[in-house]
Amino acid sequence: MNDAFEIRDQRPRLSLIAASLCSLGLFSAGVGAAFLLFVAAYPLGLISAYPAPPAAATEGPLGFEEKVADVDDLYRGVGEPMQAYLERLTKAVAGGMVHYWTEGDSWTETDMRYTRISAFDNYLLWILSFRPQYRETLQNYEFVTPRKGLARGYGFCSQVSKIVYSVLSDQGIDATIYSVPEHTVVVSNGNILDPDYGVFVPHTLEDVQQDPSIIDSYYAQFGPMLPLLKKAYGQSWQSLGTAEDFDSVRAYEAKFERLKWIPPLAFLATGILLATIGALLRHREGLVRLVSRRVRKSVRSS
């Protein structure tokens, strides 16, 4: 008889725990699913994480020509001559990117909505961009990962140079980014690659420093910019960073690209686990009821 009372006492407790776990599990799974959709929306192409520049910038001399459909297309083909490849890479990146800023040709706070890491791109870095120690970097951020930079679609000459540098570095092709206050270019195999203008100059940077007029024919279509470009090329260029620096930044980008998936997946997995435990407890409750009925029958028959 005491066993029957003990089983009966367990039923409300099991029922309450099971219902609570199922409810909590469904809620957590729902949050996880919604969160996962939010994180996946940009990679899946469901939304645009960054605003598009105005048509005037897109159609200008440094504007958009043709989107790079596949980053793999930027890599060197089998047997492709090095100079022909470097020129193709320079023009392809230039054509798929827009050089645009809201005020003049320098970054201001009005550009932040274009250059800050978007919450849809990586909400973790977006949150960090509000902290004082990260604000300057993450509110005017340039990607080293080619796919990320090309997906955003616009940037300074330093941004497109980082894309070209990374593509070359991935293939073990020697490349260095050089910069002066007015401009940034990539140097590879004794050639100058200017993916901002889409210009390939088959001369060394040292040669052009000595005689800036060398660039006249290569930048002929950008006549109004020639005085500024010749001034830039006549200066002493400095490397923008070391290979170790860029490898470190790219690893940082890759790490946060992985980390952003963990919270939504954790919510989803936790929800499924809790709901499963709740369902098992309900099943156990059913067994308890069955045992209880048999015990009562046994007591009556005795």
Side-chain angles (χ1 to χ4, degrees), residues 6 13 29 38 43 61 70 91 128 136 143 155 177 189 197 202 204-205 219 224 261 276-277 289 297-299:
E6 184 178 344
R13 184 168 67 239
F38 169 82
D70 188 345
K91 294 182 181 299
L128 285 178
E136 182 177 353
F143 292 103
I177 301 177
N189 285 264
Y197 287 83
T204 66
L205 192 55
Y219 288 90
W261 298 97
T276 301
I277 294 173
R289 286 176 178 173
K297 288 180 181 179
S298 176
V299 169

Side-chain angles (χ1 to χ4, degrees), residues 26-100:
L26 290 174
F27 175 76
S28 179
V31 170
F35 199 175
L36 188 59
L37 179 61
F38 169 82
V39 174
Y42 178 50
L44 292 175
L46 301 178
I47 61 164
S48 178
Y50 298 95
T58 302
E59 297 166 0
L62 297 180
F64 175 79
E65 291 180 14
E66 183 179 358
K67 183 178 178 63
V68 177
D70 188 345
V71 177
D72 290 341
D73 294 340
L74 297 178
Y75 290 80
R76 187 183 181 190
V78 178
E80 185 175 11
M82 180 60 75
Q83 273 205 345
Y85 166 63
L86 295 176
E87 183 171 7
R88 177 175 70 82
L89 173 63
T90 302
K91 294 182 181 299
V93 173
M97 296 286 288
V98 176
H99 184 114
Y100 168 71

Side-chain angles (χ1 to χ4, degrees), residues 212-241:
S213 65
I214 288 175
I215 71 168
D216 289 0
S217 60
Y218 299 103
Y219 288 90
Q221 61 177 315
F222 302 104
M225 301 299 297
L226 264 177
L228 179 64
L229 288 165
K230 290 172 77 171
K231 176 186 176 184
Y233 275 110
Q235 297 180 52
S236 177
W237 292 72
Q238 304 295 322
S239 61
L240 193 62

Side-chain angles (χ1 to χ4, degrees), residues 41-268:
Y42 178 50
L44 292 175
L46 301 178
I47 61 164
S48 178
Y50 298 95
T58 302
E59 297 166 0
L62 297 180
F64 175 79
E65 291 180 14
E66 183 179 358
K67 183 178 178 63
V68 177
D70 188 345
V71 177
D72 290 341
D73 294 340
L74 297 178
Y75 290 80
R76 187 183 181 190
V78 178
E80 185 175 11
M82 180 60 75
Q83 273 205 345
Y85 166 63
L86 295 176
E87 183 171 7
R88 177 175 70 82
L89 173 63
T90 302
K91 294 182 181 299
V93 173
M97 296 286 288
V98 176
H99 184 114
Y100 168 71
W101 306 104
T102 53
E103 295 183 15
D105 200 34
S106 60
W107 188 88
T108 66
E109 287 192 2
T110 55
D111 295 310
M112 194 183 304
R113 71 191 189 100
Y114 294 96
T115 60
R116 170 187 266 164
I117 297 286
S118 166
F120 286 104
D121 190 343
N122 193 303
Y123 63 92
L124 296 173
L125 292 175
W126 178 77
I127 292 170
L128 285 178
S129 72
F130 291 95
R131 301 186 63 180
Q133 63 267 45
Y134 300 108
R135 185 176 294 127
E136 182 177 353
T137 301
L138 295 178
Q139 289 187 356
N140 180 21
Y141 190 78
E142 294 183 338
F143 292 103
V144 176
T145 305
R147 178 182 59 80
K148 302 287 284 183
L150 289 165
R152 184 164 61 181
Y154 44 77
F156 277 122
C157 47
S158 48
Q159 171 63 92
V160 289
S161 292
K162 288 173 183 176
I163 293 172
V164 167
Y165 168 84
S166 293
V167 170
L168 294 174
S169 179
D170 284 347
Q171 302 171 86
I173 299 174
D174 181 61
T176 306
I177 301 177
Y178 284 98
S179 181
V180 290
E182 294 85 1
H183 202 34
T184 302
V185 298
V186 178
V187 170
S188 178
N189 285 264
N191 305 284
I192 300 170
L193 288 64
D194 186 346
D196 194 34
Y197 287 83
V199 171
F200 175 77
V201 182
H203 294 272
T204 66
L205 192 55
E206 291 76 12
D207 287 344
V208 177
Q209 279 181 290
Q210 295 297 320
D211 182 10
S213 65
I214 288 175
I215 71 168
D216 289 0
S217 60
Y218 299 103
Y219 288 90
Q221 61 177 315
F222 302 104
M225 301 299 297
L226 264 177
L228 179 64
L229 288 165
K230 290 172 77 171
K231 176 186 176 184
Y233 275 110
Q235 297 180 52
S236 177
W237 292 72
Q238 304 295 322
S239 61
L240 193 62
T242 65
E244 291 75 16
D245 293 333
F246 292 120
D247 287 345
S248 177
V249 173
R250 192 161 178 182
Y252 174 88
E253 291 176 0
K255 180 180 75 172
F256 274 88
E257 190 67 16
R258 293 190 300 271
L259 286 175
K260 74 179 185 181
W261 298 97
I262 294 177
L265 291 174
F267 268 107
L268 190 58

